[in-house]
Amino acid sequence: MARRPLPRILSSGSVSITRSREFARTAADSATDVLHPLIMITRGLRLLAGAGRQKWAATPKDRRGPTLFLVAACVLVVALIPYGSLMALVTVMGAAAWKGRERTPVRTGPDEAETGRLQALYEALVPYFSTADDPSPLFAHGGDWDQVFSDYEFDGNGRVSRLKVAYPAYFTDSEAASRARIEQLLHAKSGRGREYRFSWDEEGNRLVMSVLDALPTSITAQRFVTAPGETVLGFTDDDAVQRTVPVSDGDETRDAPGVVWRTGARTTEPHLLIAGQPGSGTTTLMRSIALQALQQGDILIIEGSGVGEYSCFNGREGVLAVECGAAGALATLEWAAHETERRLIEANRARQSGHAVPEDTGRPLWILLDRPSALGHLAAADGGPDPQELLQVPLRHGRAANVTVVMTEQFDCLDGLSGTVRTHTRARVVLGPCSPVQIESVLGLEPHTTPTPDVPPGRGYARLGTGPVLRIQVPATPDPYDDATSEAQRQTVLGLLPERRKAIEATAPDPVPAKTAAVSVAMESVAVSD
């Protein structure tokens, strides 16, 4: 039997329905565009009414009566003012329009790529934060990372810059090896080449990983505002110390968090040891300390490398000697030992007799020794004593005699340091690229950050006594006589140096005889006083 065709109205109904839907959608869009201001004001009035209800609910009951009276008085005043009702209406409509305006939606969750990174981190932590006997594990393969990652941030490249991890209570977070495995894993999975800080909360079973910004290298040598006996070693993170130092950074002056080392009779860290690789900035830090020490005391500079890194201090006021050879260095250190003993004797006699300590005894004396291992090899070849043996008296009794010893040494020569040097140099600084093992061998404690392989000169870590390990950036203090030094930095360093001694310039143009004569005269005065 042949099929009968459908009626015309049924065969063409789908086309009519489609056209009707398009017409209705167009009309709705046009109406929305026309009524958009009214919709925006209505939304704003609803939000204002909700805010008013919340404010009224938060008002104590004993203050609601005065509040109503104040509102009624304001309404009455507005009603009595000419055009007051109109201005009030315009104000309310304007506030409603501002409150109901469309805002750009804020993304509250990670996108697809960021979700993949978080899921990968979660899966990588499963073998370390889970056991087979846990009935309800926080970490399980194929689990939900939302339960353990409560706080996370990403940088512009989509890499994790901050992550807060909740781990089970049975994890051995009190063991350094267990923590090191987790830190190494997060460091590798989050991206190398950045410096991470890991903060462990053993009590709350939380781990916070954050990416640290690079310390600024634009701060140069200058007159730092410090108290007597304080030396600025460098600058660290804002939240690492409680004290800031005003500094000139380019054309502006700001407060920077400084690593301040205190010396003197009341300090617990009277001497400083600086370790690093060649070109890491150890000599720069030594020059910075010398410039600050010359403001209040006298210095002795002994350079073991013999390349003339401290020639700019020759013949300056307050600089007793700058020695580069083995013979002159041994003579200078021997004089320093006798001077320390003399200061102790004079101070003891003054206290026993009830008098003030003599001025020459109270003036600080700084012994700056760069690379003593090189001098030790030269002295051993000549049959002389090790310079470290002559440092025993200043190291042991320097705090009472107001004598401070600062030493620099390279990593490959740290094993040659004597026990006296290691015991009495409680303030430590490590500069340059180094591994956590090297940092721990010098500072006695691993840093809470991951050292990066490439760092600028003067970048490292510092620890004063039993305090925490701090990141540090040494102020730029280059050799003004070096050809690679810029003119601005050269003039800055030369401006900080004291004036030259006129007597030395007139009688001995060559600085080497002048240094030897100064040490000889000082040793003769010690012999006479003894």
Side-chain angles (χ1 to χ4, degrees):
M1 182 176 65
R3 299 184 60 183
R4 299 176 61 181
L6 292 174
R8 181 178 179 83
I9 186 173
L10 295 179
S11 61
S12 61
S14 59
V15 179
S16 301
I17 293 173
T18 303
R19 291 178 180 177
S20 300
R21 288 178 179 176
E22 293 179 355
F23 178 76
R25 187 180 298 109
T26 304
D29 294 341
S30 301
T32 302
D33 294 338
V34 174
L35 300 177
H36 178 71
L38 181 60
I39 296 174
M40 182 175 60
I41 293 175
T42 304
R43 187 190 305 119
L45 289 175
R46 186 176 67 253
L47 295 176
L48 290 176
R53 285 195 302 269
Q54 293 179 0
K55 186 68 175 179
W56 177 257
T59 304
K61 293 183 179 181
D62 56 344
R63 298 181 58 183
R64 291 183 178 180
T67 303
L68 284 175
F69 178 78
L70 180 60
V71 172
C74 293
V75 171
L76 180 61
V77 171
V78 172
L80 295 177
I81 295 176
Y83 304 103
S85 302
L86 181 60
M87 289 189 298
L89 179 62
V90 172
T91 303
V92 172
M93 293 297 103
W98 177 260
K99 190 72 174 179
R101 72 189 188 281
E102 293 183 356
R103 299 177 178 87
T104 303
V106 180
R107 185 169 61 91
T108 58
D111 56 17
E112 184 178 356
E114 295 172 350
T115 302
R117 282 183 173 271
L118 293 175
Q119 186 65 32
L121 284 175
Y122 176 85
E123 295 291 341
L125 292 173
V126 169
Y128 302 93
F129 285 151
S130 64
T131 59
D133 300 334
D134 192 350
S136 57
L138 286 175
F139 289 82
H141 291 291
D144 190 4
W145 55 266
D146 286 336
Q147 299 180 359
V148 295
F149 296 159
S150 57
D151 185 13
Y152 46 84
E153 295 178 4
F154 294 87
D155 59 6
N157 298 325
R159 297 189 297 177
V160 178
S161 60
R162 177 179 173 84
L163 183 66
K164 186 175 183 180
V165 184
Y167 56 88
Y170 53 76
F171 176 71
T172 56
D173 53 3
S174 59
E175 299 178 2
S178 300
R179 294 197 304 268
R181 286 195 297 267
I182 300 300
E183 293 175 2
Q184 182 180 5
L185 174 65
L186 292 176
H187 180 201
K189 292 295 184 180
S190 300
R192 300 184 183 274
R194 300 184 297 175
E195 192 166 4
Y196 296 86
R197 172 184 291 172
F198 298 94
S199 301
W200 291 85
D201 181 11
E202 292 87 352
E203 185 177 1
N205 299 322
R206 297 291 187 273
L207 168 63
V208 178
M209 181 193 71
S210 56
V211 177
L212 299 176
D213 297 331
L215 295 176
T217 59
S218 56
I219 301 178
T220 59
Q222 54 193 275
R223 298 292 184 191
F224 299 112
V225 181
T226 56
E230 293 183 345
T231 304
V232 177
L233 299 179
F235 299 91
T236 183
D237 300 297
D238 294 335
D239 57 348
V241 293
Q242 300 179 354
R243 177 177 175 180
T244 58
V245 179
V247 297
S248 297
D249 189 359
D251 297 334
E252 62 177 6
T253 301
R254 61 183 180 90
D255 293 337
V259 180
V260 180
W261 173 42
R262 295 174 178 84
T263 58
R266 301 183 184 274
T267 183
T268 57
E269 301 86 23
H271 309 295
L272 175 67
L273 174 63
I274 308 169
Q277 301 288 357
S280 60
T282 56
T283 307
T284 296
L285 178 54
M286 185 76 86
R287 274 193 293 265
S288 176
I289 294 174
L291 291 176
Q292 298 179 61
L294 284 173
Q295 300 179 23
Q296 302 169 358
D298 301 327
I299 64 173
L300 290 171
I301 301 178
I302 302 173
E303 183 183 359
S305 59
V307 296
E309 293 282 350
Y310 306 95
S311 58
C312 60
F313 291 93
N314 268 320
R316 303 284 180 175
E317 291 289 342
V319 181
L320 302 182
V322 179
E323 292 293 345
C324 300
L330 293 177
T332 303
L333 291 176
E334 186 177 358
W335 174 84
H338 288 298
E339 175 65 12
T340 304
E341 295 174 352
R342 185 192 70 82
R343 289 182 173 223
L344 290 174
I345 295 173
E346 293 293 336
N348 187 29
R349 290 175 180 174
R351 294 188 183 97
Q352 289 182 356
S353 60
H355 296 89
V357 178
E359 183 179 357
D360 60 342
T361 302
R363 184 173 174 82
L365 175 62
W366 292 70
I367 303 175
L368 308 181
L369 182 57
D370 190 359
R371 295 197 61 190
S373 60
L375 291 175
H377 291 303
L378 294 177
D382 294 340
D386 191 350
Q388 298 185 48
E389 298 179 1
L390 301 175
L391 281 175
Q392 291 187 6
V393 175
L395 288 173
R396 294 177 185 271
H397 309 286
R399 181 174 60 178
N402 211 0
V403 177
T404 303
V405 179
V406 180
M407 300 177 58
T408 66
E409 192 55 271
Q410 296 182 4
F411 278 116
D412 54 356
C413 299
L414 289 177
D415 296 337
L417 296 179
S418 62
T420 304
V421 173
R422 294 179 177 272
T423 302
H424 292 87
T425 53
R426 294 172 50 86
R428 305 284 181 88
V429 176
V430 178
L431 298 179
C434 48
S435 63
V437 177
Q438 291 177 318
I439 298 174
E440 185 181 9
S441 64
V442 178
L443 303 183
L445 190 67
E446 287 188 0
H448 295 290
T449 62
T450 56
T452 55
D454 299 326
V455 294
R459 171 71 173 82
Y461 298 88
R463 189 187 184 196
L464 304 180
T466 58
V469 178
L470 306 174
R471 295 202 308 164
I472 188 174
Q473 178 63 49
V474 176
T477 315
D479 184 7
Y481 297 159
D482 190 358
D483 296 337
T485 305
S486 63
E487 185 63 25
Q489 292 183 342
R490 178 182 294 108
Q491 296 301 325
T492 299
V493 176
L494 291 177
L496 295 175
L497 287 170
E499 297 292 335
R500 292 189 179 274
R501 292 192 294 267
K502 298 181 180 180
I504 293 181
E505 292 181 354
T507 57
D510 189 4
V512 177
K515 292 183 294 183
T516 307
V519 175
S520 302
V521 171
M523 296 178 61
E524 291 176 1
S525 63
V526 173
V528 172
S529 62
D530 292 341

